[in-house]
Amino acid sequence: MTIIDRYLLRQFLQTFLICFLSLLGLFIVFHAFTNLEAFLKIAHRQGGVGRVMGAYYARQAILFFDMTVGFVNLTAAMYTMTRFQRHNELVALMAAGVPRARAAAPVVAGVTVVIALAVLNRELLIPQFREELSRKPHDLALDKPLPFSPQYDERTDILIRGQGAIAALRKIERPVLRLPAALDHYTKQIIAREAYYHPPTAQRPGGYLLVGIEHPKDLGERPSLQLEGSPVIITPRDAPEWLQRDQIFLVSGVSFEQLTNADAWREFSSTAQLIRGLHNRSLDLGGAVRVTIHGRIVQPLLDLTLLFLGLPLVMTLESRNVFFALSLCALVSAAFMGTVILFQMLGSSYLLSPALAVWMPLIVFVPIAVEMGVSMNR
């Protein structure tokens, strides 16, 4: 690596950090003042407003990085090369026989490293904070029941609903199970005082422990309900060692997060978790999740394509105006992201297949980016 390479790489990384931290600071200031009342309500219970806001925005920063990395990458790269041209340093390199593409190589390398870090952040870090990232400031009080939409267990066709859910306890208040016509010989509806989610273990399947059965009253005395040889509802009659008389256990592949906060589970899960969800018979994830999975695979390629659309424009035009470069960056990013979002919407609604919808922006823009990259050295 030459001195010029190290110089350009350092300039790119410094610009990237400045741009990212500036955008993050604007987001925190605006968001914090908008939700200050919500933070103040729980500050006395969680160690003060500074501690609450610090913990909240530290986690939001990793999500903000994932959302903005493509735009910030392009902005930093275009600014770095514009500044390089502004001081006639690129002219000196070209006079020495160094082509434009070679001069931009350290910037491209820096962008590639940042994209790799974004992939690791998306797949490893964000899923660890999935529950925390899904909360809004007014939801930080974990002891408050939050409403959720009823959801079917697609394997058994049982509708699960309740008055509210408490995330910290994995608890559902006033759960109601409505059984389908194929199972209504057992009972049409089960009502309980509360339910707790238990993940699967080596000894027991995953599902919900319903406590305080109110309807039907004699459910604890009935045999367990099975479907295709697998248990659906386990009663104390068949499991007296771990179920009390007023308890039953609903076997379900729908986890607590998937039931009470399905949108956040889809958004903040890793690609491997989403793929496992597609194979879960209890879930019907639809086209949106298939688009998300393909989108995760394609995203690094999209970020690189966006770079090769914007960077040749600056270097070919040989612009020395920083504001012109930033304006050009905004236009290229808006056109590119608008196209990506449009195709993703078509894939989510099955107007196009999810795979084709996600890959189509690459099919459209990669030939353009290649041609622009080749023309940069002419």
Side-chain angles (χ1 to χ4, degrees):
M1 182 179 287
T2 65
I3 294 176
I4 293 295
D5 290 337
R6 290 195 296 271
Y7 169 74
L8 280 172
L9 184 59
R10 184 172 61 252
Q11 289 295 320
F12 166 76
L13 293 176
Q14 288 177 351
T15 306
F16 180 90
L17 287 175
I18 291 171
C19 291
F20 174 71
L21 293 177
S22 298
L23 289 174
L24 179 61
L26 289 173
F27 163 73
I28 291 175
V29 169
F30 178 79
H31 192 271
F33 278 99
T34 304
N35 297 278
L36 186 58
E37 184 178 354
F39 287 119
L40 292 174
K41 284 183 179 179
I42 62 168
H44 66 283
R45 288 186 289 172
Q46 299 187 16
V49 66
R51 183 174 180 179
V52 171
M53 295 177 66
Y56 180 82
Y57 287 112
R59 292 187 289 263
Q60 290 295 319
I62 64 175
L63 180 61
F64 190 80
F65 174 77
D66 179 70
M67 296 170 60
T68 60
V69 64
F71 173 74
V72 177
N73 254 339
L74 180 60
T75 302
M78 294 178 72
Y79 178 86
T80 300
M81 296 312 300
T82 301
R83 190 169 181 271
F84 195 62
Q85 292 177 152
R86 187 178 185 182
H87 295 91
N88 294 319
E89 293 161 311
L90 182 60
V91 174
L93 284 181
M94 293 177 63
V98 179
R100 289 190 181 95
R102 176 60 185 88
V107 174
V108 175
V111 170
T112 304
V113 170
V114 174
I115 290 174
L117 292 176
V119 172
L120 294 177
N121 176 62
R122 174 71 265 180
E123 298 299 325
L124 300 179
L125 197 57
I126 289 179
Q128 294 185 23
F129 299 99
R130 183 171 58 211
E131 184 178 330
E132 292 86 349
L133 290 172
S134 66
R135 299 182 198 138
K136 306 300 180 185
H138 57 270
D139 298 334
L140 292 177
L142 300 180
D143 55 349
K144 178 182 176 182
L146 299 175
F148 65 94
S149 300
Q151 185 170 323
Y152 281 96
D153 183 320
E154 296 295 328
R155 183 181 72 89
T156 61
D157 208 26
I158 293 177
L159 179 65
I160 307 172
R161 56 186 178 180
Q163 288 187 354
I166 301 177
L169 304 176
R170 292 186 172 184
K171 174 184 175 182
I172 299 174
E173 296 201 338
R174 301 290 300 172
V176 178
L177 308 181
R178 194 181 74 186
L179 277 65
L183 301 176
D184 65 0
H185 63 277
Y186 192 76
T187 184
K188 293 183 181 294
Q189 188 169 262
I190 299 174
I191 303 174
R193 184 176 68 252
E194 55 195 19
Y196 297 88
Y197 175 73
H198 292 264
T201 64
Q203 293 77 29
R204 300 175 190 170
Y208 296 86
L209 176 65
L210 277 70
V211 179
I213 301 299
E214 299 177 358
H215 177 82
K217 292 291 186 180
D218 62 341
L219 190 58
E221 302 171 3
R222 300 184 187 184
S224 298
L225 176 65
Q226 294 196 347
L227 178 66
E228 300 176 351
S230 299
V232 176
I233 295 175
I234 303 175
T235 64
R237 174 176 169 177
D238 296 322
E241 66 280 2
W242 59 281
L243 287 177
Q244 300 178 13
R245 292 188 60 184
D246 66 338
Q247 298 178 347
I248 66 164
F249 190 82
L250 170 68
V251 179
S252 176
V254 182
S255 71
F256 183 83
E257 283 183 278
Q258 293 163 350
L259 175 65
T260 60
N261 204 350
D263 292 339
W265 180 83
R266 296 187 193 102
E267 183 179 356
F268 303 131
S269 292
S270 67
T271 304
Q273 290 168 336
L274 292 177
I275 293 174
R276 286 196 296 270
L278 285 179
H279 294 89
N280 187 343
R281 291 179 57 197
S282 295
L283 300 175
D284 181 18
L285 297 180
V289 170
R290 288 171 172 80
V291 167
T292 300
I293 292 172
H294 285 282
R296 300 277 182 82
I297 299 170
V298 172
Q299 190 59 51
L301 300 177
L302 290 176
D303 290 340
L304 282 174
T305 302
L306 179 59
L307 173 70
F308 287 115
L309 287 173
L311 197 58
L313 284 176
V314 171
M315 300 191 69
T316 303
L317 296 175
E318 297 185 359
S319 171
R320 302 182 182 186
N321 189 317
V322 173
F323 295 103
F324 175 77
L326 295 179
S327 300
L328 200 59
C329 170
L331 288 174
V332 171
S333 298
F336 184 80
M337 294 310 299
T339 304
V340 171
I341 292 172
L342 174 62
F343 278 112
Q344 288 182 349
M345 291 173 61
L346 293 175
S348 299
S349 58
Y350 283 112
L351 295 175
L352 290 176
S353 72
L356 179 61
V358 172
W359 287 88
M360 186 59 74
L362 286 180
I363 297 173
V364 173
F365 286 111
V366 165
I368 300 174
V370 171
E371 175 59 27
M372 292 178 67
V374 171
S375 65
M376 185 171 63
N377 276 333
R378 290 174 185 166

